[in-house]
Amino acid sequence: MKELILLEYKESKGHWHYNPVKDHKPKDEPDTYGWETIAFTEEEKASIFAYMMDCKLQRREAMKQPPYTAEYIRKEWKLFCYMYNRIIKSLEITPELKEQVSKNFNDVDSLARLGHGAFSDVREEKELPWAWEYDPLDYKDANF
């Protein structure tokens, strides 16, 4: 069974907290110590969202802007859920597609190219271009 959590966000710092849920009870009291609950969800889904949002939060920090509000994060969560669920609903995941993605998609390189600070060393070591510096007419470059 997948790990269930409450994804929590601290607006004052732009940080995440995964509050594990066992037998429908969270380990820590929700919405305390400045944490605001964003979603009751699966840990893997939350981590995809948090990594994506960290790229945006770190860019805001570099531009000396405050972290996003919890309300904004909830809006982003619902947009993310739309994309996540729409992809699951509409794509026929064939062995060929799974192989293509496995062959061409690298999570760490993608996060490094998107500007996630925890992966900046990867971007520098591999001399990776920014994610938005791609050839839109090249299928692999545009999609992975």
Side-chain angles (χ1 to χ4, degrees):
M1 178 167 202
K2 294 190 181 230
E3 294 291 320
L4 296 175
I5 64 158
L6 293 181
L7 176 61
E8 298 175 325
Y9 175 72
K10 188 173 282 193
E11 185 175 310
S12 64
K13 297 187 184 259
H15 290 172
W16 305 102
H17 178 250
Y18 293 10
N19 188 353
V21 175
K22 302 281 186 207
D23 299 322
H24 302 288
K25 294 180 184 176
K27 180 180 177 195
D28 301 317
E29 184 66 31
D31 301 319
T32 56
Y33 306 109
W35 295 106
E36 294 189 55
T37 302
I38 301 303
F40 175 44
T41 191
E42 297 168 358
E43 184 175 352
E44 180 67 22
K45 185 176 178 180
S47 82
I48 295 168
F49 176 74
Y51 275 137
M52 178 187 80
M53 289 306 297
D54 279 344
C55 294
K56 295 172 88 171
L57 285 161
Q58 289 166 9
R59 183 167 313 181
R60 283 183 70 82
E61 183 180 341
M63 295 182 340
K64 308 275 191 252
Q65 295 177 336
Y68 291 116
T69 64
E71 178 183 18
Y72 180 85
I73 294 294
R74 286 188 188 101
K75 290 176 185 177
E76 288 289 312
W77 171 255
K78 293 309 286 186
L79 177 60
F80 170 79
C81 286
Y82 166 78
M83 292 184 301
Y84 185 92
N85 294 323
R86 182 73 172 101
I87 289 167
I88 290 171
K89 181 180 174 183
S90 65
L91 276 186
E92 183 181 337
I93 307 298
T94 62
E96 295 80 19
L97 179 59
K98 187 141 178 109
E99 181 182 341
Q100 179 187 29
V101 172
S102 295
K103 179 181 169 188
N104 294 301
F105 176 70
N106 180 307
D107 301 56
V108 172
D109 287 358
S110 291
L111 286 168
R113 293 183 67 203
L114 287 164
H116 193 292
F119 302 98
S120 60
D121 57 329
V122 172
R123 190 176 161 288
E124 290 174 18
E125 287 172 14
K126 293 185 174 183
E127 297 180 1
L128 298 171
W130 292 112
W132 46 91
E133 295 173 353
Y134 66 93
D135 179 355
L137 298 176
D138 179 296
Y139 181 83
K140 182 179 173 186
D141 204 20
N143 288 278
F144 299 99

